[in-house]
Amino acid sequence: MTQALAKASRPQLVCRVCSSSNTHLMVEVESNQVLRCQACGHVFLNVAHTAESISTLYEDYGQQGENQYFSGMDAQVLSNIDGYLKRAQELVEVDEADQPLRLLDIGCGNGGLMQRAQQLGFAVEGVEICQPLAQIVRERLDCRVHGCFVEDLEVDDASYDVITMYDLVEHLAEPCVDLRAVHRLLKPGGVLFVLTPNDDALVRTISKQLYRFTRGRFDRPMKKLYYPDHLSYFTKQSIHELFTRTGFEVLDWHTKN
């Protein structure tokens, strides 16, 4: 008599950037499969989400802004944000120079970037699906914060001069869908600023090599670098692919700690 135990195989998602099915398992950290696309180099979590599951994931995000991530904007981080915003001001093409630039911060969190933008003269709005966080920003900055997904925004096309996605694009279940919505919302000549971890960074490269060399036994760094709310891990190649597929021209690119 034969006895057997079997586990159902997990459906393998297509690439979140280029939709290629030519992917392979890069690492498995606890129950999370991390896949790499052979076509565009994109790295992503093999987890399917719906709008409802994403909303649930972030309904109490950051304990309404009190955790270390949201309170950790030190002088260096603020200086970096100011630099990004000033660079956007230089790059954007405007029709009316005497009007403040309209900025939309998608995934605005507790409004740290928006507050800096206000101080630099932008007229700001935010998008935040965590409703407690959205309300905090409305009260703190006296501005409009949309409590919905960006593709559901009920605003006119070409409404904003600058759109920012600060530590946000890696959380998106369908980044191409969201970036096309962003493209629709930007004015011609407008600028999108994106900040996201670089999967080609040295610390990630070393961690992956150690993981492979030890055949998965030394996995502590991997658990720190790949976790459930980051659905994508962009390389320079894959984020350029994302921008190209959604109608953008890359104006500038750099990495820094």
Side-chain angles (χ1 to χ4, degrees):
M1 181 179 294
T2 300
Q3 296 184 7
L5 293 173
K7 182 171 68 173
S9 61
R10 183 182 310 189
Q12 187 160 303
L13 300 181
V14 298
C15 176
R16 296 188 192 277
V17 169
C18 73
S19 299
S20 172
S21 59
N22 185 13
T23 63
H24 77 277
L25 179 64
M26 189 178 75
V27 295
E28 186 161 2
V29 182
E30 295 180 337
S31 62
N32 298 319
Q33 291 183 342
V34 183
L35 306 182
R36 186 178 184 91
C37 176
Q38 301 289 76
C40 74
H42 187 53
V43 177
F44 62 100
L45 211 61
N46 190 27
V47 177
H49 275 289
T50 64
E52 291 75 19
S53 65
I54 289 288
S55 295
T56 300
L57 189 62
Y58 296 106
E59 64 185 359
D60 192 33
Y61 191 53
Q63 296 79 53
Q64 290 81 55
E66 299 303 322
N67 73 353
Q68 184 176 1
Y69 174 80
F70 289 114
S71 63
M73 286 190 169
D74 58 21
Q76 181 179 1
V77 172
L78 294 176
S79 175
N80 287 340
I81 290 174
D82 288 351
Y84 304 142
L85 293 171
K86 290 175 182 177
R87 181 66 173 140
Q89 287 175 320
E90 294 170 358
L91 291 170
V92 70
E93 300 172 12
V94 295
D95 294 326
E96 301 179 62
D98 59 336
Q99 295 297 314
L101 297 181
R102 292 189 67 190
L103 178 145
L104 180 70
D105 185 22
I106 304 173
C108 65
N110 69 348
L113 184 147
M114 292 169 64
Q115 185 174 31
R116 304 302 290 188
Q118 275 188 338
Q119 294 170 0
L120 290 173
F122 288 91
V124 301
E125 294 180 28
V127 175
E128 179 54 61
I129 63 170
C130 176
Q131 301 307 321
L133 274 176
Q135 187 57 32
I136 286 174
V137 180
R138 292 185 192 108
E139 295 173 357
R140 182 179 295 167
L141 301 183
D142 189 26
C143 66
R144 188 178 186 186
V145 179
H146 307 269
C148 63
F149 293 100
V150 64
E151 64 267 28
D152 297 327
L153 283 183
E154 296 182 355
V155 298
D156 293 336
D157 292 358
S159 287
Y160 302 100
D161 300 288
V162 177
I163 294 180
T164 54
M165 303 173 79
Y166 188 100
D167 281 348
L168 184 279
V169 69
E170 64 272 14
H171 295 263
L172 302 177
E174 297 183 277
C176 285
V177 172
D178 290 289
L179 266 290
R180 290 190 183 102
V182 168
H183 191 277
R184 174 180 62 81
L185 293 169
L186 269 175
K187 296 178 181 178
V191 171
L192 167 66
F193 164 69
V194 172
L195 179 78
T196 190
N198 179 3
D199 201 63
D200 286 334
L202 181 61
V203 64
R204 290 177 178 270
T205 300
I206 292 173
S207 297
K208 283 180 279 192
Q209 289 176 344
L210 287 172
Y211 180 85
R212 295 189 190 103
F213 182 75
T214 63
R215 298 189 178 185
R217 290 189 296 274
F218 186 62
D219 63 353
R220 183 179 296 179
M222 302 300 285
K223 291 178 181 179
K224 295 287 187 182
L225 295 173
Y226 298 96
Y227 40 90
D229 61 338
H230 279 200
L231 305 182
S232 285
Y233 301 87
F234 289 93
T235 63
K236 183 175 183 178
Q237 177 187 358
S238 70
I239 203 162
H240 274 72
E241 181 75 17
L242 174 65
F243 291 144
T244 300
R245 284 177 172 268
T246 52
F248 290 91
E249 174 191 356
V250 178
L251 300 177
D252 196 7
W253 158 279
H254 67 275
T255 61
K256 65 191 304 182
N257 290 329

